[in-house]
Amino acid sequence: GSQIADKTLRQSHKSWVSAIQWSPTDPFVLATTSHDGTLKVWDIRSSLPLHTVKATTAKGEKSLCLAFGDGFIYSGGSDCVVKKFAL
């Protein structure tokens, strides 16, 4: 099949993107997490991420999911740890 790609956001993750979620409070903000172990916060009006944080506890671990909640972003990964990041 064919693929549709939007090149607005520059490639920033170094491995597969495992989750993406829009901010529930800001229509221009979304977060992504990846098998590279990072979580990134984006403003879609810019091509570069606003923030990049290490979302796993050890090198080689994968960040698998994320969720927004009460002014925080939560992420979980293959290290079996849920981490909480302030927005």
Side-chain angles (χ1 to χ4, degrees), residues 12-32:
S12 183
H13 285 292
K14 294 180 179 24
S15 189
W16 297 350
V17 174
S18 52
I20 182 170
Q21 186 171 6
W22 287 99
S23 165
T25 58
D26 188 330
F28 297 106
V29 172
L30 61 87
T32 58

PDB file of all heavy atoms in Angstrom, residues 12-32:
ATOM      1  N   SER A  12      13.657  13.016  14.560  1.00  0.00           N
ATOM      2  CA  SER A  12      14.370  13.313  15.799  1.00  0.00           C
ATOM      3  C   SER A  12      14.641  12.043  16.599  1.00  0.00           C
ATOM      4  O   SER A  12      15.690  11.917  17.200  1.00  0.00           O
ATOM      5  CB  SER A  12      13.572  14.307  16.631  1.00  0.00           C
ATOM      6  OG  SER A  12      14.264  14.670  17.790  1.00  0.00           O
ATOM      7  N   HIS A  13      13.678  11.131  16.634  1.00  0.00           N
ATOM      8  CA  HIS A  13      13.904   9.868  17.326  1.00  0.00           C
ATOM      9  C   HIS A  13      14.903   9.028  16.540  1.00  0.00           C
ATOM     10  O   HIS A  13      14.977   9.113  15.315  1.00  0.00           O
ATOM     11  CB  HIS A  13      12.595   9.099  17.490  1.00  0.00           C
ATOM     12  CG  HIS A  13      11.700   9.652  18.543  1.00  0.00           C
ATOM     13  ND1 HIS A  13      12.006   9.605  19.879  1.00  0.00           N
ATOM     14  CD2 HIS A  13      10.492  10.268  18.453  1.00  0.00           C
ATOM     15  CE1 HIS A  13      11.024  10.151  20.567  1.00  0.00           C
ATOM     16  NE2 HIS A  13      10.098  10.569  19.726  1.00  0.00           N
ATOM     17  N   LYS A  14      15.664   8.221  17.253  1.00  0.00           N
ATOM     18  CA  LYS A  14      16.684   7.394  16.612  1.00  0.00           C
ATOM     19  C   LYS A  14      16.220   5.944  16.390  1.00  0.00           C
ATOM     20  O   LYS A  14      16.978   5.119  15.927  1.00  0.00           O
ATOM     21  CB  LYS A  14      17.961   7.428  17.445  1.00  0.00           C
ATOM     22  CG  LYS A  14      18.574   8.826  17.459  1.00  0.00           C
ATOM     23  CD  LYS A  14      19.823   8.877  18.264  1.00  0.00           C
ATOM     24  CE  LYS A  14      20.504  10.211  18.300  1.00  0.00           C
ATOM     25  NZ  LYS A  14      19.739  11.389  18.066  1.00  0.00           N
ATOM     26  N   SER A  15      14.957   5.673  16.746  1.00  0.00           N
ATOM     27  CA  SER A  15      14.390   4.346  16.545  1.00  0.00           C
ATOM     28  C   SER A  15      12.883   4.501  16.361  1.00  0.00           C
ATOM     29  O   SER A  15      12.375   5.617  16.304  1.00  0.00           O
ATOM     30  CB  SER A  15      14.720   3.446  17.739  1.00  0.00           C
ATOM     31  OG  SER A  15      14.360   2.112  17.475  1.00  0.00           O
ATOM     32  N   TRP A  16      12.168   3.391  16.298  1.00  0.00           N
ATOM     33  CA  TRP A  16      10.733   3.406  16.058  1.00  0.00           C
ATOM     34  C   TRP A  16       9.999   4.287  17.050  1.00  0.00           C
ATOM     35  O   TRP A  16      10.286   4.262  18.249  1.00  0.00           O
ATOM     36  CB  TRP A  16      10.153   2.014  16.188  1.00  0.00           C
ATOM     37  CG  TRP A  16      10.643   1.005  15.205  1.00  0.00           C
ATOM     38  CD1 TRP A  16      11.402   1.232  14.086  1.00  0.00           C
ATOM     39  CD2 TRP A  16      10.412  -0.387  15.258  1.00  0.00           C
ATOM     40  NE1 TRP A  16      11.644   0.067  13.440  1.00  0.00           N
ATOM     41  CE2 TRP A  16      11.054  -0.971  14.141  1.00  0.00           C
ATOM     42  CE3 TRP A  16       9.734  -1.215  16.131  1.00  0.00           C
ATOM     43  CZ2 TRP A  16      11.020  -2.320  13.877  1.00  0.00           C
ATOM     44  CZ3 TRP A  16       9.707  -2.560  15.864  1.00  0.00           C
ATOM     45  CH2 TRP A  16      10.334  -3.102  14.757  1.00  0.00           C
ATOM     46  N   VAL A  17       9.035   5.035  16.556  1.00  0.00           N
ATOM     47  CA  VAL A  17       8.118   5.778  17.421  1.00  0.00           C
ATOM     48  C   VAL A  17       7.036   4.794  17.856  1.00  0.00           C
ATOM     49  O   VAL A  17       6.375   4.181  17.029  1.00  0.00           O
ATOM     50  CB  VAL A  17       7.502   6.982  16.684  1.00  0.00           C
ATOM     51  CG1 VAL A  17       6.436   7.649  17.538  1.00  0.00           C
ATOM     52  CG2 VAL A  17       8.592   7.982  16.302  1.00  0.00           C
ATOM     53  N   SER A  18       6.912   4.618  19.164  1.00  0.00           N
ATOM     54  CA  SER A  18       5.984   3.614  19.683  1.00  0.00           C
ATOM     55  C   SER A  18       4.650   4.198  20.133  1.00  0.00           C
ATOM     56  O   SER A  18       3.666   3.464  20.243  1.00  0.00           O
ATOM     57  CB  SER A  18       6.630   2.844  20.834  1.00  0.00           C
ATOM     58  OG  SER A  18       7.140   3.734  21.788  1.00  0.00           O
ATOM     59  N   ALA A  19       4.605   5.512  20.399  1.00  0.00           N
ATOM     60  CA  ALA A  19       3.338   6.126  20.818  1.00  0.00           C
ATOM     61  C   ALA A  19       3.366   7.619  20.519  1.00  0.00           C
ATOM     62  O   ALA A  19       4.430   8.251  20.541  1.00  0.00           O
ATOM     63  CB  ALA A  19       3.098   5.903  22.315  1.00  0.00           C
ATOM     64  N   ILE A  20       2.196   8.145  20.249  1.00  0.00           N
ATOM     65  CA  ILE A  20       2.018   9.581  20.025  1.00  0.00           C
ATOM     66  C   ILE A  20       0.676   9.971  20.624  1.00  0.00           C
ATOM     67  O   ILE A  20      -0.286   9.205  20.559  1.00  0.00           O
ATOM     68  CB  ILE A  20       2.079   9.911  18.517  1.00  0.00           C
ATOM     69  CG1 ILE A  20       1.947  11.412  18.284  1.00  0.00           C
ATOM     70  CG2 ILE A  20       1.050   9.137  17.737  1.00  0.00           C
ATOM     71  CD1 ILE A  20       2.242  11.831  16.859  1.00  0.00           C
ATOM     72  N   GLN A  21       0.642  11.144  21.267  1.00  0.00           N
ATOM     73  CA  GLN A  21      -0.620  11.598  21.848  1.00  0.00           C
ATOM     74  C   GLN A  21      -0.672  13.119  21.834  1.00  0.00           C
ATOM     75  O   GLN A  21       0.311  13.783  22.160  1.00  0.00           O
ATOM     76  CB  GLN A  21      -0.786  11.081  23.277  1.00  0.00           C
ATOM     77  CG  GLN A  21      -2.155  11.417  23.831  1.00  0.00           C
ATOM     78  CD  GLN A  21      -2.441  10.737  25.157  1.00  0.00           C
ATOM     79  OE1 GLN A  21      -1.591  10.097  25.743  1.00  0.00           O
ATOM     80  NE2 GLN A  21      -3.645  10.891  25.631  1.00  0.00           N
ATOM     81  N   TRP A  22      -1.834  13.641  21.467  1.00  0.00           N
ATOM     82  CA  TRP A  22      -2.057  15.083  21.504  1.00  0.00           C
ATOM     83  C   TRP A  22      -2.295  15.544  22.935  1.00  0.00           C
ATOM     84  O   TRP A  22      -2.900  14.827  23.737  1.00  0.00           O
ATOM     85  CB  TRP A  22      -3.284  15.454  20.665  1.00  0.00           C
ATOM     86  CG  TRP A  22      -3.049  15.360  19.204  1.00  0.00           C
ATOM     87  CD1 TRP A  22      -3.405  14.333  18.379  1.00  0.00           C
ATOM     88  CD2 TRP A  22      -2.381  16.314  18.378  1.00  0.00           C
ATOM     89  NE1 TRP A  22      -3.002  14.589  17.102  1.00  0.00           N
ATOM     90  CE2 TRP A  22      -2.372  15.801  17.064  1.00  0.00           C
ATOM     91  CE3 TRP A  22      -1.780  17.549  18.617  1.00  0.00           C
ATOM     92  CZ2 TRP A  22      -1.799  16.479  15.998  1.00  0.00           C
ATOM     93  CZ3 TRP A  22      -1.205  18.224  17.557  1.00  0.00           C
ATOM     94  CH2 TRP A  22      -1.210  17.696  16.269  1.00  0.00           C
ATOM     95  N   SER A  23      -1.844  16.747  23.241  1.00  0.00           N
ATOM     96  CA  SER A  23      -2.126  17.353  24.540  1.00  0.00           C
ATOM     97  C   SER A  23      -3.634  17.572  24.674  1.00  0.00           C
ATOM     98  O   SER A  23      -4.267  18.033  23.732  1.00  0.00           O
ATOM     99  CB  SER A  23      -1.406  18.703  24.653  1.00  0.00           C
ATOM    100  OG  SER A  23      -1.925  19.450  25.726  1.00  0.00           O
ATOM    101  N   PRO A  24      -4.186  17.284  25.842  1.00  0.00           N
ATOM    102  CA  PRO A  24      -5.618  17.525  26.038  1.00  0.00           C
ATOM    103  C   PRO A  24      -5.936  19.007  26.248  1.00  0.00           C
ATOM    104  O   PRO A  24      -7.101  19.400  26.213  1.00  0.00           O
ATOM    105  CB  PRO A  24      -5.949  16.707  27.290  1.00  0.00           C
ATOM    106  CG  PRO A  24      -4.664  16.623  28.033  1.00  0.00           C
ATOM    107  CD  PRO A  24      -3.572  16.605  26.992  1.00  0.00           C
ATOM    108  N   THR A  25      -4.909  19.841  26.451  1.00  0.00           N
ATOM    109  CA  THR A  25      -5.144  21.255  26.764  1.00  0.00           C
ATOM    110  C   THR A  25      -4.590  22.234  25.733  1.00  0.00           C
ATOM    111  O   THR A  25      -4.961  23.395  25.739  1.00  0.00           O
ATOM    112  CB  THR A  25      -4.542  21.609  28.138  1.00  0.00           C
ATOM    113  OG1 THR A  25      -3.141  21.311  28.108  1.00  0.00           O
ATOM    114  CG2 THR A  25      -5.219  20.829  29.252  1.00  0.00           C
ATOM    115  N   ASP A  26      -3.685  21.785  24.858  1.00  0.00           N
ATOM    116  CA  ASP A  26      -3.071  22.680  23.871  1.00  0.00           C
ATOM    117  C   ASP A  26      -3.156  22.026  22.495  1.00  0.00           C
ATOM    118  O   ASP A  26      -2.521  20.994  22.263  1.00  0.00           O
ATOM    119  CB  ASP A  26      -1.616  22.953  24.247  1.00  0.00           C
ATOM    120  CG  ASP A  26      -0.966  24.015  23.385  1.00  0.00           C
ATOM    121  OD1 ASP A  26      -1.357  24.149  22.195  1.00  0.00           O
ATOM    122  OD2 ASP A  26      -0.061  24.706  23.866  1.00  0.00           O
ATOM    123  N   PRO A  27      -3.907  22.615  21.576  1.00  0.00           N
ATOM    124  CA  PRO A  27      -4.105  21.984  20.263  1.00  0.00           C
ATOM    125  C   PRO A  27      -2.851  21.949  19.389  1.00  0.00           C
ATOM    126  O   PRO A  27      -2.851  21.293  18.346  1.00  0.00           O
ATOM    127  CB  PRO A  27      -5.200  22.850  19.613  1.00  0.00           C
ATOM    128  CG  PRO A  27      -5.074  24.174  20.280  1.00  0.00           C
ATOM    129  CD  PRO A  27      -4.634  23.878  21.690  1.00  0.00           C
ATOM    130  N   PHE A  28      -1.781  22.618  19.790  1.00  0.00           N
ATOM    131  CA  PHE A  28      -0.546  22.630  19.013  1.00  0.00           C
ATOM    132  C   PHE A  28       0.532  21.699  19.570  1.00  0.00           C
ATOM    133  O   PHE A  28       1.599  21.565  18.994  1.00  0.00           O
ATOM    134  CB  PHE A  28       0.020  24.049  18.934  1.00  0.00           C
ATOM    135  CG  PHE A  28      -0.895  25.007  18.227  1.00  0.00           C
ATOM    136  CD1 PHE A  28      -1.613  25.945  18.937  1.00  0.00           C
ATOM    137  CD2 PHE A  28      -1.043  24.957  16.847  1.00  0.00           C
ATOM    138  CE1 PHE A  28      -2.454  26.828  18.296  1.00  0.00           C
ATOM    139  CE2 PHE A  28      -1.891  25.835  16.191  1.00  0.00           C
ATOM    140  CZ  PHE A  28      -2.600  26.777  16.918  1.00  0.00           C
ATOM    141  N   VAL A  29       0.262  21.069  20.704  1.00  0.00           N
ATOM    142  CA  VAL A  29       1.284  20.266  21.388  1.00  0.00           C
ATOM    143  C   VAL A  29       0.943  18.779  21.326  1.00  0.00           C
ATOM    144  O   VAL A  29      -0.197  18.378  21.550  1.00  0.00           O
ATOM    145  CB  VAL A  29       1.443  20.722  22.852  1.00  0.00           C
ATOM    146  CG1 VAL A  29       2.352  19.791  23.637  1.00  0.00           C
ATOM    147  CG2 VAL A  29       1.985  22.151  22.889  1.00  0.00           C
ATOM    148  N   LEU A  30       1.974  17.988  21.033  1.00  0.00           N
ATOM    149  CA  LEU A  30       1.840  16.543  21.101  1.00  0.00           C
ATOM    150  C   LEU A  30       3.122  15.966  21.692  1.00  0.00           C
ATOM    151  O   LEU A  30       4.154  16.636  21.741  1.00  0.00           O
ATOM    152  CB  LEU A  30       1.527  15.927  19.737  1.00  0.00           C
ATOM    153  CG  LEU A  30       2.508  16.100  18.588  1.00  0.00           C
ATOM    154  CD1 LEU A  30       3.569  15.010  18.597  1.00  0.00           C
ATOM    155  CD2 LEU A  30       1.751  16.031  17.284  1.00  0.00           C
ATOM    156  N   ALA A  31       3.032  14.744  22.151  1.00  0.00           N
ATOM    157  CA  ALA A  31       4.192  14.052  22.716  1.00  0.00           C
ATOM    158  C   ALA A  31       4.386  12.743  21.966  1.00  0.00           C
ATOM    159  O   ALA A  31       3.423  12.120  21.511  1.00  0.00           O
ATOM    160  CB  ALA A  31       3.995  13.777  24.197  1.00  0.00           C
ATOM    161  N   THR A  32       5.647  12.349  21.822  1.00  0.00           N
ATOM    162  CA  THR A  32       5.983  11.076  21.201  1.00  0.00           C
ATOM    163  C   THR A  32       6.956  10.333  22.102  1.00  0.00           C
ATOM    164  O   THR A  32       7.701  10.939  22.868  1.00  0.00           O
ATOM    165  CB  THR A  32       6.647  11.272  19.817  1.00  0.00           C
ATOM    166  OG1 THR A  32       7.831  12.059  19.960  1.00  0.00           O
ATOM    167  CG2 THR A  32       5.699  11.938  18.835  1.00  0.00           C
TER     168      THR A  32
END
